[in-house]
């Protein structure tokens, strides 16, 4: 009996030891409460009531480990309907938590709440969260940092310290919802920000901002991990620190081969993890984020600055930093295309070689008619389209798109988004494109492309010059994708397909398609639901630069979309 009891005890010890050593042992439930409400912030000598989370700008940083479950209770005490998107999270079988308004849920009404609950698996690095309703992401955003499981390490040498995340943003001296309503009436462009910001602070180049300059303190000789997030609404940004280099180790929460550079380039939605060494003489050094601007329209060209301060520095005047010229496409393209993925590293996904669905999607800006608009072109408003379809969110239809998918309901969207543009033309030649009148006025619609579960999809994203060429950051919800190739001009399969990187391409969730150029991406549609694909310039979304993928359910219970949570907001 004693021997039997001893063997049971030993068996339990063995089981507990196995559990402790298993990946599941390190998983945790991480819980946050987001109180979304209005508070007064002062920037540029201008006190302004803004909508933010927990009374801070940026909002709180979420720290999790790979494998954790994240639970966020959102209490909406703002005057607006509100949703939160967890940018870059796969949301496998948790599409109800993805967040884009009218796509996966309806807005959380003022005075109501909703709990987002999802697992974080097969992802490590830096992502972020932001509002996905109206233009509220201008002030409703924050970092989401995913560290390796306990017992696991980064695939690069351990830094001396991880620095607080750096989030780029924008500031307007007016309520952004009021601005959005006004441009909806006028039909014109979104105004440029009054300031760019680093962690909510404009920096000392702006009026009244000497005491609102972000500072970062380091110790000479040490190497640090810096996490950079472009949270801006409508601007791509260069980033430099005077006399310092960076080594890129991850982008969009996917590991990369090491790439050393003195300048970082980010589009809205991008994240970049870098190592940098404080290897300069003790002192202080300016850092700056400045616009990369590719379209011919007015913009704010004053960078936001912060200061890198070495321990024991007595410097009163930081070393100045020289930023690239605003239209330095060569520098931007070099950065965007020189990064490669860390093949074989943690969570690496090889490129799928057999393609089931091929799409060629043209996109860009255009016009639509408007009787009472006050835009510069009489009777017109700005519009945008993908494959000559200008996307409209299904407001007032009683269901979100995901609810319609789950219920197999009609009348919310149609399943006929085209695989190709209506006809071929010289896409990036502004002289030809401006004459293609039928494509300047794309019809308004709510269309999706239906994909079989687990199918491999290849998409050529082709910029057009119908109403000016621009570098557009295209984001796909619910998936990462391999970036196989990028270039300028019109994509040509015979010429460009042999250049595809099928070995170690970068993996992203947002791709900055080159100005007047193209990108080729590939992904596996292994997550059932409705997944928005759109330009991450917020101004372009209400104009129609979006579409959605409808991914069908898989063959097993574990590959089908579960029912919606009980507290899902109603339309």
């Amino acid at each position: 009996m004693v021997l039997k009891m001893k063997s049971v005890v030993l068996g339990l010890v063995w089981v507990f030891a196995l559990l402790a050593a298993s990946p599941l042992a390190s998983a945790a439930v991480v819980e946050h409460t987001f109180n979304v409400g209005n508070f007064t912030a002062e920037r540029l000598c201008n006190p302004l009531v803004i909508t933010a989370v927990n009374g801070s700008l940026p909002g709180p940083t979420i720290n999790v480990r790979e494998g954790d479950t994240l639970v966020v209770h959102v209490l909406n005490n703002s005057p607006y309907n509100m949703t939160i998107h967890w940018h870059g999270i796969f949301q496998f079988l948790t599409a109800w938590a993805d967040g884009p308004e009218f796509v996966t849920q309806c807005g959380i009404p003022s005075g109501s709440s909703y709990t987002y609950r999802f697992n974080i698996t097969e992802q490590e690095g830096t992502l972020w969260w932001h509002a996905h309703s109206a233009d509220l992401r201008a002030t409703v955003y924050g970092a989401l940092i995913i560290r390796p499981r306990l017992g696991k390490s980064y695939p690069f040498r351990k830094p001396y310290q991880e620095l607080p995340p750096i989030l780029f943003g924008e500031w307007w001296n007016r309520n952004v919802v009021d601005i959005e309503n006004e441009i909806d009436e006028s039909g014109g462009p979104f105004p440029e920000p009054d300031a760019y910001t680093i962690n909510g602070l404009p920096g000392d180049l702006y009026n009244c901002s000497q005491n609102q300059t972000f500072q970062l303190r380091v110790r000479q000789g040490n190497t640090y991990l810096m996490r950079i997030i472009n949270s801006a609404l409508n601007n791509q940004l260069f980033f430099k620190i005077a006399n310092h280099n960076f080594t890129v180790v991850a982008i969009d929460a996917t590991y990369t081969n090491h790439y050393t550079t003195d300048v970082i380039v980010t589009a809205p939605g991008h994240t970049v993890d870098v190592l940098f060494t404080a290897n300069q003489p003790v002192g202080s050094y300016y850092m700056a984020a400045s616009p990369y601007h590719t379209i011919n329209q007015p913009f704010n060209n004053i960078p936001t600055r912060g200061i890198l301060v070495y321990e024991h520095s007595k410097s009163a005047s930081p070393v100045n930093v020289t930023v690239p010229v605003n239209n330095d496409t060569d520098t931007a393209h070099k950065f965007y295309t020189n990064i490669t993925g860390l093949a074989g590293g943690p969570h690496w996904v090889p490129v799928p070689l057999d393609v089931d669905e091929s799409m060629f999607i043209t996109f860009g800006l255009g016009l639509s008619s408007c009787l009472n608009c006050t835009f510069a072109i009489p009777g017109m408003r700005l519009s945008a389209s993908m494959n000559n379809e200008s996307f409209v969110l299904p407001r007032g239809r009683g269901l979100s798109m995901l609810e319609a998918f789950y219920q197999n309901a009609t009348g919310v969207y149609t399943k006929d988004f085209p695989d190709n543009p209506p006809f071929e033309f010289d896409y990036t030649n502004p002289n030809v494109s401006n004459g293609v009148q039928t494509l300047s006025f794309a019809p308004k619609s709510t269309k999706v492309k239906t994909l079989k579960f687990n199918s491999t999809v290849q998409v050529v994203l082709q910029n057009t010059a119908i109403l000016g060429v621009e570098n557009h950051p295209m984001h796909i919800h619910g998936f990462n994708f391999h970036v196989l190739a990028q270039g300028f001009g019109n994509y040509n399969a015979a010429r460009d397909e042999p250049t595809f990187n099928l070995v170690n391409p970068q993996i992203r969730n947002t791709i900055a398609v080159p100005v007047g150029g193209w990108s080729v991406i590939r992904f596996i549609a292994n997550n059932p639901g409705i997944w928005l694909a759109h330009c991450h310039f917020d101004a372009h979304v209400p104009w129609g630069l979006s579409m959605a993928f409808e991914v069908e359910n898989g063959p097993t219970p574990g590959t089908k979309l579960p029912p919606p949570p009980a507290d899902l907001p109603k339309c």
Side-chain angles (χ1 to χ4, degrees):
M1 183 70 176
V2 172
L3 287 175
K4 185 175 181 181
M5 181 64 70
K6 184 176 181 180
S7 66
V8 169
V9 171
L10 288 174
L12 287 173
V13 169
W14 179 73
V15 169
F16 290 142
L18 279 180
L19 286 172
S22 75
L24 293 176
S26 64
V29 176
V30 178
E31 199 160 1
H32 286 261
T33 297
F34 278 12
N35 189 335
V36 184
N38 284 0
F39 80 102
T40 300
E42 184 168 324
R43 301 291 188 272
L44 313 181
C45 288
N46 181 51
L48 182 70
V49 175
I50 66 171
T51 302
V53 173
N54 296 353
S56 65
L57 178 69
T61 295
I62 292 177
N63 292 281
V64 294
R65 292 189 179 274
E66 192 271 325
D68 286 351
T69 296
L70 181 59
V71 179
V72 182
H73 309 285
V74 176
L75 313 178
N76 185 13
N77 291 309
S78 80
Y80 312 108
N81 283 1
M82 173 66 60
T83 68
I84 303 292
H85 170 51
W86 314 93
H87 186 108
I89 294 291
F90 294 152
Q91 300 291 4
F92 181 68
L93 299 182
T94 52
W96 303 107
D98 190 44
E101 189 175 26
F102 302 111
V103 179
T104 61
Q105 67 169 98
C106 293
I108 306 167
S110 178
S112 298
S113 64
Y114 178 51
T115 295
Y116 293 91
R117 181 187 298 269
F118 51 91
N119 295 329
I120 298 172
T121 55
E122 301 297 319
Q123 293 183 275
E124 293 176 16
T126 304
L127 293 174
W128 63 301
W129 56 265
H130 61 80
H132 212 299
S133 44
D135 284 307
L136 290 167
R137 104 161 187 244
T139 52
V140 179
Y141 63 89
L144 200 172
I145 297 172
I146 309 168
R147 294 184 174 85
R149 290 176 186 251
L150 290 173
K152 302 290 185 179
S153 60
Y154 297 119
F156 46 81
R157 66 189 177 101
K158 185 178 179 180
Y160 168 74
Q161 191 177 57
E162 291 189 26
L163 297 170
I166 289 179
L167 295 94
F168 304 141
E170 295 155 320
W171 175 266
W172 283 266
N173 281 328
R174 298 180 56 220
N175 180 297
V176 291
V177 175
D178 291 343
I179 294 173
E180 183 178 15
N181 290 336
E182 287 177 10
I183 66 170
D184 183 55
E185 291 181 8
S186 72
F190 205 94
E192 285 301 304
D194 294 293
Y196 307 105
T197 61
I198 297 176
N199 287 1
L201 301 175
D204 59 5
L205 289 177
Y206 287 99
N207 187 36
C208 301
S209 301
Q210 291 293 324
N211 296 325
Q212 292 190 328
T213 300
F214 175 71
Q215 291 197 10
L216 199 57
R217 298 190 175 274
V218 295
R219 179 179 295 175
Q220 187 185 41
N222 289 335
T223 297
Y224 297 84
L225 176 60
M226 176 184 286
R227 303 174 184 273
I228 300 164
I229 303 169
N230 188 334
S231 314
L233 277 190
N234 297 316
N235 280 280
Q236 301 196 51
L237 295 163
F238 296 109
F239 179 65
K240 295 187 71 172
I241 300 178
N243 297 358
H244 289 76
N245 286 335
F246 308 100
T247 299
V248 177
V249 295
I251 54 172
D252 291 5
T254 62
Y255 292 116
T256 66
N257 290 308
H258 289 190
Y259 173 58
T260 301
T261 175
D262 68 340
V263 60
I264 303 294
V265 192
T266 58
H270 280 164
T271 69
V272 183
D273 293 358
V274 300
L275 298 174
F276 88 98
T277 302
N279 56 7
Q280 296 301 302
V282 170
S284 58
Y285 300 82
Y286 273 120
M287 62 180 74
S290 62
Y292 168 49
H293 190 84
T294 60
I295 195 164
N296 185 24
Q297 67 181 43
F299 69 102
N300 183 345
N301 200 26
I302 302 174
T304 174
R305 291 201 306 196
I307 304 175
L308 181 74
V309 182
Y310 278 60
E311 187 178 72
H312 306 306
S313 171
K314 295 180 173 57
S315 170
S317 301
V319 176
N320 202 10
V321 58
T322 303
V323 299
V325 296
N326 68 276
N327 60 351
D328 189 351
T329 290
D330 289 343
T331 293
H333 191 66
K334 178 182 178 182
F335 178 85
Y336 283 145
T337 57
N338 276 13
I339 295 172
T340 53
L342 185 62
H347 314 300
W348 170 254
V349 176
V351 181
L353 299 180
D354 296 323
V355 175
D356 302 302
E357 294 275 2
S358 293
M359 302 180 71
F360 188 102
I361 300 180
T362 56
F363 59 91
L365 306 184
L367 299 168
S368 62
S369 60
C370 178
L371 292 178
N372 300 314
C373 289
T374 57
F375 181 46
I377 304 175
M380 301 293 172
R381 67 160 59 248
L382 289 170
S383 184
S385 65
M386 300 178 69
N387 274 356
N388 203 42
E389 296 290 340
S390 187
F391 188 83
V392 178
L393 289 169
R395 291 180 173 87
R397 301 186 197 177
L399 297 172
S400 69
M401 296 176 71
L402 189 62
E403 289 175 289
F405 167 82
Y406 181 77
Q407 299 177 20
N408 197 26
T410 59
V412 177
Y413 63 86
T414 61
K415 303 184 180 187
D416 53 346
F417 182 84
D419 288 342
N420 297 282
F423 56 85
E424 293 184 20
F425 62 100
D426 191 357
Y427 305 115
T428 56
N429 182 339
N431 297 320
V432 173
S433 300
N434 286 334
V436 185
Q437 294 300 316
T438 56
L439 296 185
S440 297
F441 297 89
K444 299 292 181 179
S445 63
T446 309
K447 296 187 175 184
V448 306
K449 165 66 177 178
T450 301
L451 301 171
K452 294 290 186 184
F453 179 81
N454 226 29
S455 59
T456 296
V457 187
Q458 179 171 298
V459 183
V460 177
L461 294 166
Q462 175 68 63
N463 245 314
T464 64
I466 294 171
L467 199 70
V469 291
E470 189 169 10
N471 184 308
H472 292 270
M474 303 300 294
H475 171 49
I476 300 180
H477 289 226
F479 301 99
N480 282 345
F481 46 77
H482 295 92
V483 181
L484 304 185
Q486 303 180 68
F488 295 99
N490 298 326
Y491 174 76
N492 182 303
R495 177 195 65 204
D496 298 321
E497 196 167 318
T499 71
F500 284 6
N501 181 353
L502 302 175
V503 178
N504 63 347
Q506 58 183 271
I507 299 176
R508 282 197 175 273
N509 61 57
T510 304
I511 175 71
V513 181
V515 55
W518 52 270
S519 299
V520 181
I521 65 172
R522 192 179 292 181
F523 66 96
I524 300 175
N526 56 5
N527 194 1
I530 299 289
W531 305 104
L532 192 64
H534 63 100
C535 180
H536 220 266
F537 289 147
D538 238 36
H540 294 178
V541 174
W543 296 350
L545 219 167
S546 305
M547 56 85 65
F549 291 104
E550 177 194 67
V551 180
E552 295 179 341
N553 283 307
T556 64
T559 57
K560 297 181 187 299
L561 179 70
D567 62 340
L568 185 75
K570 303 300 182 186
C571 293

